[in-house]
Amino acid sequence: MERVKIGLIGFGTVGSGFYSLMEKNGIRFKEKLGVNIELAKIAEIEPDKVLSAFPNQKVVQNFKEIIEDPDIPIVIELVGGIDTAYEIIKSALLKGKHVITANKALLALHGDELFRLAREKRVKLKFEASVCGGIPIIKVVRESLIGNRVERISGIMNGTANYILTRMTEEQMGFQEALREAQSRGFAERDPSLDVEGGDSAHKISLLASFSFGQWIDYRKVLCEGITTVTPEEIEFASSSGFIFKLIASAELINGRPAVTVFPALLPKEHPLASVRNESNAVFISSDFAGPSLYLGRGAGGNATASSVASDLGDLVQRIVLKTKGDIAQIETSNRSELYPYQDISYRYFFHFITENRPGIWAAVTGLLAENGINIESVHQKWEDRSKPSNLYVLVDPAEEKKAKKALNEIVSSQGISESSRFYRIIQP
Ligand code: HSE
């Protein structure tokens, strides 16, 4: 029977999850593919982390011992972070090794260079585990939907943010308390600003959109807003109007150009993504022949993410050992177009004005909305304590982002209206 050696670099949450998976289910590669996978070496800067649990395992401290080993054709990078992970992946590709990674931040930043290098070296850089943990969504867009044109992807791609919004909605919890809970449950990034300010979702949607639309999308150009401004009062008002707050990452082609955004959106309660709770992730894809399809699951965690690493390993084994032909090409990173300008996208909006209590405030708000051609659907003033500013909520008909932004800027320049007034976008199914 064929034997394939692999090297694992990094033994943190995902690395140890992958180890457990191979111990328990490694036999499945033998049964299904007729190949013995041998975990030849693990590189870990703290070898005791591995050896205390698995004393017979071959552990090295320096990842170069895996990169330099000619008998290891597949390297699994699970160290996270940017600098060392970049060095690992680049040097492995240069040595002609296939690489599997879960590192979305690194791929979003250096993916164009690394995918190009992989193509030049005729090896694969696989990354299923980097987008939505255990949901096999890269395989879906690259393989399962190959006969379709993907028109729109929208999803909840950050478990931490979804957990926080769920707890704020269902338990009337404050943002900080909900964040602490999420961190203690172990799915937040080391730097949670990536979770709550939308950066992690921007990394994931730009990778997914790049593969779906066949062109490299720079995550730094994506409209990216997080959930840090959302208050329990806004959530309560949205709920009483039939909406639920979710951090939505989305991508669609408008006039042939990708429009890619991340922001806290209001979803009608009947939207398929509205019922996705806690740390779950979900991706909703519209494509021309399959129509709408929804993928739901665990977006983080050692075991779920390890499942996607194993999926990539299965693909590589089929390719290099069984020499299956017809592998789907990797992303063409030199193919780029300007993103569709998000300022031209139209949404319904939920404005939240924080205002003084005096005559003329409503007149300023409604007058400036009208001057910008924005049609009001409903107005609600939430005002419990006369000594405090009032909360004026205004729902409006669809308007272009640039008009909504201009109206907001003009309104907050009016006397008596706070600069922290804001709007949220409403996403229809
Ligand atoms: N921190 C991410 C999340 C998990 O909360 O979804 C890893 O992508």
Side-chain angles (χ1 to χ4, degrees), residues 351-363:
F351 283 91
H352 175 190
F353 299 107
I354 301 156
T355 79
E356 286 175 11
N357 161 26
R358 60 175 184 72
I361 297 285
W362 278 47

Side-chain angles (χ1 to χ4, degrees), residues 104 130 157-161 187-189 195 200 204 281 299-300:
K104 65 265 168 185
S130 67
M157 302 191 185
N158 186 274
T160 303
F187 34 78
E189 296 294 311
D195 296 303
D200 178 74
K204 292 167 179 165
N281 280 197

Side-chain angles (χ1 to χ4, degrees), residues 152 217-225 248 250-255 257-263 337-349 398-406 409 423 425:
R152 183 154 206 255
I217 288 165
D218 185 342
Y219 81 97
R220 287 162 292 201
K221 299 199 174 138
V222 167
L223 166 67
C224 180
E225 295 172 8
I248 299 294
S250 95
E252 67 182 310
L253 285 180
I254 305 182
N255 300 335
R257 287 162 73 184
V260 189
T261 56
V262 174
F263 51 72
S337 70
E338 287 294 312
L339 293 196
Y340 185 83
Y342 65 81
Q343 296 86 344
D344 293 350
I345 303 177
S346 289
Y347 300 100
R348 282 170 76 203
Y349 290 89
E400 285 179 348
E401 173 90 5
K402 55 180 175 260
K403 287 192 184 159
K405 194 89 199 169
K406 180 165 166 281
N409 287 339
F423 62 59
R425 303 161 191 90

Side-chain angles (χ1 to χ4, degrees), residues 86 119 181 194 259:
Y86 173 77
R119 204 168 35 249
E181 256 193 28
L194 279 173

Side-chain angles (χ1 to χ4, degrees), residues 171-237:
E171 306 295 331
Q172 291 76 47
M173 234 177 222
F175 175 83
Q176 289 299 343
E177 190 188 352
L179 171 60
R180 273 194 301 277
E181 256 193 28
Q183 286 175 302
S184 73
R185 299 196 56 189
F187 34 78
E189 296 294 311
R190 238 175 285 167
D191 169 7
S193 64
L194 279 173
D195 296 303
V196 296
E197 286 168 10
D200 178 74
S201 298
H203 295 150
K204 292 167 179 165
I205 190 68
S206 56
L207 284 171
L208 202 46
S210 293
F211 276 84
S212 304
F213 303 146
Q215 52 187 285
W216 184 249
I217 288 165
D218 185 342
Y219 81 97
R220 287 162 292 201
K221 299 199 174 138
V222 167
L223 166 67
C224 180
E225 295 172 8
I227 60 166
T228 50
T229 63
V230 180
T231 63
E233 293 74 26
E234 288 170 341
I235 289 177
E236 189 194 326
F237 173 70

